[in-house]
Amino acid sequence: MSITAGDIKELREQTGVGMMDCKKALTEADGDIKKALEVLRKKGLAMAAKRSSRTASEGLITSYIHMNKLGVLLEVNCETDFVAKTDDFQEFVKDVAMHIAAANPAYVRREEIPAEVVEKEKEIFASQITNKPAQAVEKILEGKIEKFYSESCLLDQVFVKDEEQKKTINDLLIEKVAKLGENIVINRFARFQLGQK
Amino acid sequence: MSITAGDIKELREQTGVGMMDCKKALTEADGDIKKALEVLRKKGLAMAAKRSSRTASEGLITSYIHMNKLGVLLEVNCETDFVAKTDDFQEFVKDVAMHIAAANPAYVRREEIPAEVVEKEKEIFASQITNKPAQAVEKILEGKIEKFYSESCLLDQVFVKDEEQKKTINDLLIEKVAKLGENIVINRFARFQLGQK
């Protein structure tokens, strides 16, 4: 692992976060700038939750309605109204709303899943695995849980408009953070389908 | 109390509900057609919740976005797609969405308020009343709880567009039920204000 002053500078320029925090994030991410961005993003999330910083107090509320039978309401935050008004940010918000309509996530992020839901899923998965050695069971279980996350969490879902079907919503978000130089937080969404509660 | 065959017939025509149910509702409502409609509407709600009838399986999902900073997502159900497409129904849905944006209800109906929330409110109200005889306390408390309902429940709120500031959203709904001859159920809403969770 090597962290250069250039890396720290780049991360600082991309995020607007202080030098020390950038260095810490790079250390945590073994020098990987993309991972460090995610580390910083997560810290941004934590701050937003405490409402104790200016991070993610601006942004957009948007909706996507399909045929009057399916609707999505979405809040995506950024740090300044200036960024909220850029085409890049507005396109991102529109894409995410459309994605939610199509892909039907249950949560924004893993941290939101109640512990009992994860436990329940694990129980069900475990009961489906038979005649396997204990080590294999552990591994299969892990794989199934990862799959559950990638199906139910917006940030882990593959972006429906990605032609290669590889890029997750989180990847898309990190791209935008890097491009716009501000923390971006997908705060919350609601998705209503007619007659389904 | 007198329930005439004419009343039953009128209620039946307005709601499409069977004779016996109409008679029962009128009995429960002491012969008052408006109240009987509400009784039937409540029964309709119960059915919708069980998803066991055709009542309220059609309708509209709509949104209202104010300045990209405040958004409402709303589902209003009716019995047929035909009614969902009428101007009357669409106007009602639009009015309710706009009302929610302006009046910020916390719940659709009283039944949705968790018991502990009502208890907490009662506690707070009770602690505000001092030096009053027990009978008066009970009465004041009742008044305060009614006020709490009328502030926090959509159906109990006074419709913001009503010029006389008398008509509640529930009154407006009953008017539409009578006019369109179908059960109408305000199923659910979400309201996001930028930076407030």
Side-chain angles (χ1 to χ4, degrees):
Chain A
M1 177 184 77
S2 74
I3 297 161
T4 67
D7 286 347
I8 295 172
K9 191 163 167 281
E10 194 187 328
L11 191 61
R12 182 177 154 78
E13 272 169 12
Q14 280 187 18
T15 61
V17 170
M19 294 288 232
M20 284 309 297
D21 281 331
C22 286
K23 196 176 171 189
K24 263 191 230 165
L26 277 162
T27 310
E28 220 174 306
D30 288 334
D32 182 326
I33 288 196
K34 198 173 156 186
K35 274 190 197 153
L37 264 173
E38 205 176 339
V39 167
L40 287 174
R41 194 181 58 82
K42 279 185 187 154
K43 285 183 182 163
L45 284 181
M47 286 190 286
K50 279 193 282 173
R51 277 185 227 156
S52 63
S53 97
R54 59 182 270 273
T55 304
S57 60
E58 290 295 333
L60 290 180
I61 306 275
T62 196
S63 66
Y64 175 83
I65 303 286
H66 181 68
M67 307 281 287
N68 293 325
K69 304 283 181 192
L70 174 66
V72 171
L73 186 65
L74 172 67
E75 174 172 1
V76 182
N77 297 128
C78 55
E79 292 178 38
T80 62
D81 196 44
F82 175 78
V83 160
K85 285 185 170 136
T86 61
D87 288 346
D88 262 307
F89 188 79
Q90 302 206 344
E91 187 196 65
F92 173 69
V93 173
K94 205 176 139 199
D95 275 344
V96 173
M98 199 270 306
H99 171 94
I100 292 167
N104 195 14
Y107 310 94
V108 175
R109 53 189 70 81
R110 298 178 183 203
E111 296 84 339
E112 285 173 12
I113 310 179
E116 60 268 28
V117 171
V118 177
E119 282 315 306
K120 188 95 198 167
E121 288 296 321
K122 279 187 186 167
E123 253 179 64
I124 294 166
F125 293 148
S127 73
Q128 291 167 344
I129 309 166
T130 47
N131 296 323
K132 300 273 181 190
Q135 268 183 316
V137 167
E138 194 59 35
K139 202 129 195 173
I140 296 168
L141 209 54
E142 245 171 57
K144 281 184 180 272
I145 286 289
E146 276 302 314
K147 188 154 180 289
F148 167 67
Y149 287 144
S150 72
E151 284 166 359
S152 59
C153 296
L154 173 61
L155 290 173
D156 291 302
Q157 287 183 333
V158 173
F159 178 37
V160 292
K161 275 172 77 180
D162 182 41
E163 280 169 20
E164 292 174 31
Q165 285 297 293
K166 276 185 180 173
K167 193 190 288 183
T168 65
I169 295 291
N170 197 38
D171 293 335
L172 190 68
L173 185 141
I174 288 171
E175 271 179 30
K176 292 288 172 178
V177 168
K179 190 162 182 188
L180 294 168
E182 282 196 7
N183 265 341
I184 295 172
V185 178
I186 299 177
N187 189 355
R188 52 181 168 166
F189 70 85
R191 183 184 183 278
F192 291 174
Q193 196 160 352
L194 194 67
Q196 293 179 6
K197 194 154 191 177
Chain B
M1 177 183 74
S2 73
I3 297 161
T4 67
D7 286 345
I8 296 172
K9 189 160 168 280
E10 193 187 328
L11 191 59
R12 183 177 154 78
E13 272 168 12
Q14 281 187 17
T15 60
V17 171
M19 295 288 232
M20 284 310 295
D21 281 331
C22 287
K23 196 177 171 188
K24 262 191 228 164
L26 278 162
T27 309
E28 220 175 306
D30 288 332
D32 181 327
I33 289 196
K34 198 174 157 187
K35 275 190 196 154
L37 264 173
E38 206 176 341
V39 167
L40 287 173
R41 193 181 60 81
K42 280 184 188 154
K43 284 182 184 163
L45 285 181
M47 287 190 285
K50 279 193 284 173
R51 277 185 228 156
S52 63
S53 99
R54 61 181 269 274
T55 303
S57 60
E58 292 294 335
L60 289 179
I61 307 274
T62 197
S63 66
Y64 175 83
I65 304 286
H66 180 68
M67 306 281 288
N68 294 323
K69 306 281 181 194
L70 173 66
V72 170
L73 187 65
L74 172 66
E75 174 171 3
V76 182
N77 298 128
C78 55
E79 292 177 38
T80 63
D81 197 44
F82 175 77
V83 160
K85 285 184 170 138
T86 59
D87 288 345
D88 261 308
F89 189 79
Q90 302 207 343
E91 187 196 64
F92 174 68
V93 172
K94 205 177 141 199
D95 275 344
V96 173
M98 199 271 306
H99 171 94
I100 292 167
N104 193 16
Y107 311 94
V108 175
R109 52 190 70 80
R110 298 178 182 201
E111 295 84 339
E112 285 173 13
I113 310 178
E116 61 267 29
V117 171
V118 177
E119 282 314 307
K120 189 97 198 165
E121 289 296 321
K122 278 186 185 166
E123 252 179 66
I124 294 167
F125 293 147
S127 74
Q128 291 166 345
I129 309 166
T130 47
N131 296 323
K132 300 271 182 193
Q135 268 183 318
V137 168
E138 195 59 37
K139 202 126 196 178
I140 295 169
L141 209 53
E142 244 171 60
K144 279 182 182 274
I145 286 289
E146 276 302 315
K147 189 157 179 289
F148 167 67
Y149 287 144
S150 72
E151 282 167 359
S152 59
C153 297
L154 174 61
L155 290 173
D156 291 303
Q157 287 183 333
V158 172
F159 178 37
V160 292
K161 275 172 77 181
D162 182 41
E163 281 169 20
E164 290 175 30
Q165 285 296 292
K166 276 184 179 174
K167 195 191 285 182
T168 65
I169 294 293
N170 196 39
D171 292 337
L172 190 68
L173 184 141
I174 289 171
E175 270 180 31
K176 292 287 171 179
V177 168
K179 189 163 182 186
L180 294 167
E182 282 197 7
N183 265 341
I184 296 173
V185 178
I186 299 177
N187 190 355
R188 51 182 169 166
F189 71 85
R191 183 184 183 278
F192 291 175
Q193 195 159 353
L194 193 67
Q196 292 179 7
K197 196 157 188 172

